[in-house]
Amino acid sequence: MTDNTAPDYGTGARLFHWITLVLILIQLPAGVAMTIEAVPAYNDALFILHKGLGCIFLLVVLARLAWKLRHPVQALPQRLPALQRRIAARTHWLIYGLLILLPVSGYIRTVGDGYPIEMLDALGIPPLVTGIPDIAHVMLIIHSFSSYLLAALIAVHVGAAVHQQLFARDNVLSRMWPPVRPRGRTGA
């Protein structure tokens, strides 16, 4: 028997989820491509894109987190084992932590080593820190490691959702898809 009574996410949560995913699907490959210089002719453009989108990404994630805190969704169904519910909750919060850590560490790495963030320069926003190359180097390591960890956690997240949909048949994907909640459905 399946439990299809858990309310789905509202349009706000759904849009934040899918906008975040689109930004991640741009940022991760751009970050890898620019660091391995996969296409040297586009390397500068990739750096500018990655740094600018990183600033936008941080704002989106902070707005998403504020939305989540003001619009809580019902917990996972009680029929799921307690350990599975705990792992899911901790994985979600770890993903949120990485979504904040990545742009912050990227920012500190960039401006701390004296590089510009062209979008912020164009907006007249001065760097918050400068001239800290040792810390910038540590932030580069944190930024790189965190991006791979985020990719792994996203894979776990997607795998768990697909497993719940296909094997548990609890329609978990319908809680977040489509990106705009259909009329007449309830949720946060």
Side-chain angles (χ1 to χ4, degrees):
M1 175 177 270
T2 61
D3 178 359
N4 295 329
T5 61
D8 60 352
Y9 289 89
T11 296
R14 288 170 181 236
L15 287 174
F16 276 124
H17 180 272
W18 293 105
I19 289 168
T20 302
L21 177 64
V22 167
L23 289 171
I24 289 169
L25 290 176
I26 295 169
Q27 286 294 80
L28 285 176
V32 170
M34 71 188 198
T35 57
I36 64 169
E37 298 186 16
V39 186
Y42 295 108
N43 209 46
D44 287 342
L46 287 171
F47 269 100
I48 292 169
L49 171 72
H50 189 76
K51 293 183 293 183
L53 278 182
C55 297
I56 293 168
F57 186 80
L58 180 59
L59 295 176
V60 168
V61 169
L62 292 175
R64 179 181 178 179
L65 189 55
W67 181 271
K68 180 179 180 65
L69 293 173
R70 291 187 47 90
H71 300 86
V73 71
Q74 182 177 351
L76 290 172
Q78 289 297 313
R79 65 175 174 69
L80 293 175
L83 178 61
Q84 188 176 349
R85 288 194 315 271
R86 279 195 308 273
I87 290 171
R90 288 185 178 132
T91 300
H92 278 103
W93 285 108
L94 182 54
I95 288 172
Y96 273 106
L98 291 170
L99 293 178
I100 293 169
L101 179 62
L102 277 160
V104 169
S105 63
Y107 176 85
I108 295 170
R109 181 276 180 262
T110 301
V111 300
D113 225 0
Y115 295 105
I117 297 180
E118 292 78 2
M119 185 183 79
L120 296 180
D121 290 347
L123 294 172
I125 300 172
L128 298 176
V129 295
T130 57
I132 51 171
D134 292 340
I135 294 172
H137 179 71
V138 171
M139 289 297 116
L140 174 60
I141 295 167
I142 290 170
H143 189 75
S144 297
F145 177 77
S146 296
S147 65
Y148 290 112
L149 181 56
L150 178 64
L153 287 175
I154 290 170
V156 169
H157 176 71
V158 170
V162 169
H163 171 12
Q164 287 301 116
Q165 183 71 29
L166 295 179
F167 299 105
R169 300 196 185 279
D170 62 6
N171 294 324
V172 70
L173 292 178
S174 68
R175 293 181 74 193
M176 192 54 79
W177 183 264
V180 176
R181 184 176 61 209
R183 292 183 188 262
R185 301 244 315 248
T186 61

